[in-house]
Amino acid sequence: MTAPKALDTPYDQPRIFGSAYRAATIGILLVITLIAFEGMSVSVVMPIVSRQLDALDLYGLSFSAFLIASLFANVVSGLWSDRRGYTMPFLLGVVLFVIGMGLAGAAATKVLFLAARAVQGLGAGCTIVAVYVMIARVYPTALRPKIFAGLSAAWVVPAMVGPAVAGFVASAWGWRWVFFGIIPLVVPALVMLVPALKKRADGAASDEGGGSSQGARSRPFAMTVAATAAAGGAGVLLYGVDKLHISPVPSAVAVLAGLACLGYGLSKLLPPGALRFRQGLPTTIMMRGMFSAAFFGVNSFIPLALQQVKEFGPAAAGIALTTGALGWSTGSYLQSRRSVEPYRRIRLGAACVMAGVLLGLLSVLPGITGWVAVPAWIVAGFGMGIGMTTVSITALKQSPVNEQGANSAALSVTDMLGSALAVGAGGALVNVIGHSPGMIARGFVVICCLMSAVALAATLLASRTRSD
């Protein structure tokens, strides 16, 4: 008699769509796809919304309100996920996001529209962190690059059809139906996801640790205060920056107060040494914000620039965003199949973002076609796909298990804050320079120059993401 050989035992390689992970994967990708569809659509119709609600002066703040609210929700969702599991933050986030879309579609004034965007931001913030914790708790390390690539791929179809559909809907029925029309698509996806989330949460109960996190950044009251300070500080800072050219002294006071609150909040929300770009995890988390600032600080203004300066229609102006998302998905896929050291992939990604931003600058210059924005944003999106996905994977790998939620929240905090500050500052620049087509072109050039400098800094700092 011979003993059975272990090598003869069949072994199925784990897959994100294998039986063990299929329900969680489909549920995550469905919701992210619909959220991506909304994001692409809103970016395209925002110039129309700004004109009809007389809100061009609040163009940047329309994006920043969403992002600042997300920042606050990120922290609360991270704490909640660490202590009680990810299921309820995820579900609550999706519900709030749907409510925000309904309020945005019904908004009669620019103030109400800004409030609706903030509600959407609360929902998105809860959802994003819960998804990150879900990935960390549900998927083994070997599958995480694949699921992150899947998240990026979930933007492809919305990116392909979102701008065209949004432009058509806005032209045929009005911009409000861009918001209203997505609601019936989100609700069935959420209903379908509930059983899968419940099953996965029950099956992973031992992994979630019953909410016993003792991480340094897991104190609910202190972290909620810090999140409030960071979000409020960012809002006050952007308000002050936007009004500096109108009332310099009060605005300067607001800027200083905002910076103080922001500094206090970030010192509590981020890992020690993050604001000093300390080697390893602190710089990895800060890198997420630098990528977001450089890319989205320009991305949000591409539809405005092309529609106002080059007289593109909404759908045509959205094609640049489409190609950026396609480049992003391609970069994310390639990073999952390469064995290059993470810091080198981060450096390459930042360099591509810088190159794409500088090339995109040409799209508003006289005598140059606005279609230059298409190859430019393919390059920039490719850099984001490589860099952002690698940053996310590296941060989770560098995080202790009981701080995965806090560090996932920190990633999203720097992500949202980088975008919010960059877009808000860009909107302030447009307001200072002026709203005529020629002045918008000038403002876009200045924005591209500033964001390319941010991407250059990320390129130079990438090597500091290596662990000690």
Side-chain angles (χ1 to χ4, degrees):
M1 179 180 293
T2 59
K5 296 180 180 179
L7 292 178
D8 293 335
T9 303
Y11 173 70
D12 292 329
Q13 183 72 24
R15 295 173 294 115
I16 60 173
F17 286 106
S19 58
Y21 305 105
R22 185 182 301 121
T25 299
I26 293 174
I28 290 170
L29 296 184
L30 276 174
V31 173
I32 294 299
T33 297
L34 293 173
I35 290 175
F37 190 95
E38 188 275 344
M40 296 298 298
S41 300
V42 169
S43 296
V44 172
V45 302
M46 272 306 302
I48 302 174
V49 176
S50 296
R51 288 196 301 270
Q52 292 195 4
L53 293 184
D54 191 24
L56 192 57
D57 58 323
L58 297 180
Y59 184 90
L61 291 180
S62 297
F63 293 96
S64 296
F66 177 98
L67 296 166
I68 291 171
S70 294
L71 186 157
F72 175 80
N74 284 335
V75 178
V76 175
S77 180
L79 293 167
W80 192 355
S81 297
D82 273 343
R83 300 173 70 86
R84 296 288 183 255
Y86 53 75
T87 301
M88 288 308 298
F90 186 88
L91 294 175
L92 176 62
V94 175
V95 170
L96 282 174
F97 195 78
V98 170
I99 292 173
M101 285 191 291
L103 293 175
T109 68
K110 59 186 179 183
V111 174
L112 293 177
F113 184 79
L114 284 177
R117 292 290 287 162
V119 174
Q120 288 183 9
L122 289 173
C126 285
T127 303
I128 289 169
V129 173
V131 165
Y132 272 66
V133 177
M134 191 185 307
I135 290 172
R137 304 280 172 82
V138 171
Y139 296 88
T141 302
L143 288 185
R144 289 174 192 167
K146 302 293 185 182
I147 187 62
F148 276 113
L151 291 182
S152 293
W155 287 80
V156 172
V157 173
M160 293 176 65
V161 303
V165 171
F168 173 77
V169 170
S171 300
W173 296 296
W175 61 266
R176 298 179 187 279
W177 285 99
V178 173
F179 294 95
F180 290 145
I182 296 174
I183 294 175
L185 301 177
V186 175
V187 174
L190 180 59
V191 171
M192 292 172 60
L193 184 59
V194 170
L197 275 176
K198 184 178 185 301
K199 179 180 178 181
R200 176 52 56 188
D202 291 342
S206 61
D207 293 332
E208 295 204 40
S212 60
S213 172
Q214 299 296 323
R217 285 173 291 129
S218 296
R219 302 186 184 97
F221 179 76
M223 293 302 98
T224 301
V225 171
T228 303
V236 172
L237 172 62
L238 289 178
Y239 175 83
V241 169
D242 191 54
K243 301 298 182 183
L244 270 174
H245 65 294
I246 298 175
S247 51
V249 175
S251 298
V253 172
V255 168
L256 293 175
L259 284 172
C261 291
L262 187 58
Y264 169 80
L266 291 181
S267 69
K268 306 297 182 182
L269 296 173
L270 305 183
L275 297 179
R276 301 190 305 275
F277 289 89
R278 199 176 76 187
Q279 189 85 21
L281 177 65
T283 295
T284 300
I285 286 178
M286 291 297 289
M287 199 63 61
R288 178 72 172 262
M290 297 183 76
F291 269 97
S292 293
F295 183 84
F296 290 108
V298 176
N299 186 81
S300 299
F301 293 95
I302 288 177
L304 178 68
L306 293 181
Q307 289 184 52
Q308 296 292 324
V309 179
K310 297 296 184 177
E311 299 183 348
F312 280 33
I319 290 177
L321 305 186
T322 297
T323 55
L326 291 172
W328 191 321
S329 182
T330 301
S332 181
Y333 172 76
L334 290 178
Q335 69 77 33
S336 73
R337 302 182 64 85
R338 301 293 179 182
S339 57
V340 179
E341 290 183 80
Y343 83 93
R344 294 184 185 276
R345 296 202 300 269
I346 294 170
R347 178 185 293 161
L348 173 62
C352 287
V353 172
M354 179 178 65
V357 168
L358 289 174
L359 182 59
L361 177 155
L362 303 177
S363 65
V364 296
L365 297 183
I368 299 179
T369 175
W371 291 108
V372 170
V374 171
W377 232 232
I378 290 176
V379 174
F382 181 79
M384 291 293 283
I386 293 176
M388 289 280 275
T389 308
T390 303
V391 164
S392 300
I393 295 167
T394 303
L396 287 177
K397 185 177 180 180
Q398 293 172 334
S399 300
V401 172
N402 69 332
E403 292 188 4
Q404 287 173 338
N407 287 334
S408 294
L411 277 173
S412 291
V413 164
T414 56
D415 186 343
M416 299 298 176
L417 185 62
S419 298
L421 294 180
V423 176
L429 281 170
V430 170
N431 289 339
V432 170
I433 294 172
H435 295 158
S436 70
M439 291 176 176
I440 288 176
R442 194 179 309 160
F444 185 75
V445 168
V446 174
I447 290 169
C448 287
C449 289
L450 291 175
M451 296 308 117
S452 66
V454 174
L456 175 60
T459 304
L460 299 176
L461 289 167
S463 62
R464 296 189 62 78
T465 60
R466 290 179 292 184
S467 298
D468 292 327

